[in-house]
Amino acid sequence: MFKLVINTFAEETLEKVSLKDKRTFLRLSKALDELEQNGLQSSNITALKNAPKIFRKRVGRWRILFTLEREVINIWIIAIEKDTDKDYKRWINFITYHM
């Protein structure tokens, strides 16, 4: 079992989703629970090409971006993917700046 640490930005996104779309919130919560239980053995996880220490978990159109340090999973971004290259570049910059 891993410990999840959810960044403020990701926490705010979860709060907004919980108020607007309960179904999506439940799907994201279930994905976070799976991540907490199984770590990198969870489904739909890929290491990002340009940032091999950053991983993403796909939940439909939503993406959960995180890093893993020993038994701690840091959740940085929870967002809808719109423009793959542009979004991932921006997200990688955000995460590497705050690490």
Side-chain angles (χ1 to χ4, degrees):
M1 186 160 192
F2 295 84
K3 178 182 177 185
L4 288 184
V5 176
I6 302 178
N7 176 289
T8 305
F9 182 77
E11 184 71 35
E12 290 171 0
T13 301
L14 278 176
E15 288 176 19
K16 290 176 187 176
V17 171
S18 73
L19 297 173
K20 292 182 180 181
D21 187 352
K22 296 286 185 197
R23 184 172 177 225
T24 299
F25 176 74
L26 290 174
R27 289 178 64 210
L28 291 170
S29 295
K30 184 178 176 183
L32 290 171
D33 289 342
E34 180 188 5
L35 196 56
E36 184 176 31
Q37 292 294 319
N38 303 323
L40 294 179
Q41 302 304 315
S42 299
S43 60
N44 296 317
I45 291 183
T46 303
L48 299 184
K49 292 178 186 177
N50 296 328
K53 293 184 180 183
I54 301 173
F55 301 89
R56 72 104 175 113
K57 179 169 178 59
R58 185 176 54 83
V59 182
R61 290 186 58 216
W62 288 84
R63 302 296 182 265
I64 299 172
L65 275 75
F66 64 95
T67 55
L68 176 63
E69 298 171 24
R70 295 188 182 106
E71 300 294 318
V72 177
I73 296 174
N74 292 297
I75 306 295
W76 294 96
I77 305 282
I78 299 175
I80 292 179
E81 181 183 52
K82 297 175 187 168
D83 180 351
T84 305
D85 291 334
K86 186 177 178 182
D87 285 343
Y88 280 113
K89 285 178 188 175
R90 184 170 43 97
W91 293 337
I92 289 169
N93 289 337
F94 175 84
I95 294 169
T96 54
Y97 178 77
H98 289 91
M99 285 177 67

